[in-house]
Amino acid sequence: MQPLDKANIIKKLQKQGKKVAFVGDGVNDSVALQQADLSIAMGTGARKLQLILVILLSLNLMF
C-alpha cells in the first residue's frame, strides 16, 4: 500500500465522523501519521525520534 493510500483511508473514515488512530513503523507512514487523530510511531533509532517530534510539533500547531 502506498503512503498516500493510507492517508486517504484515514481521511475517508474521518469524513464518516470517526476518530482514527494509526500506528506506523517507517518514514513512509509520515503522511498517515500526520492525518490521524492519534498517531503512534514505533521503531528505534534517531530517525524515528525525529519523526515523532515532527508529528507532535505539527499536532501542537493545529490546536
Side-chain angles (χ1 to χ4, degrees):
M1 181 176 288
Q2 298 296 314
L4 288 177
D5 294 335
K6 297 172 190 179
N8 287 333
I9 291 170
I10 293 169
K11 286 179 190 178
K12 182 178 176 181
L13 292 169
Q14 289 171 327
K15 285 182 181 179
Q16 296 173 6
K18 298 178 180 173
K19 299 293 183 190
V20 181
F22 183 83
V23 178
D25 65 353
V27 175
N28 64 338
D29 292 329
S30 62
V31 177
L33 287 164
Q34 187 174 14
Q35 180 65 45
D37 298 297
L38 172 65
S39 301
I40 303 166
M42 306 180 344
T44 59
R47 183 69 184 135
K48 304 288 184 185
L49 181 56
Q50 287 176 328
L51 176 62
I52 293 167
L53 291 174
V54 167
I55 292 166
L56 291 175
L57 289 173
S58 296
L59 289 173
N60 283 335
L61 293 173
M62 292 171 49
F63 293 103

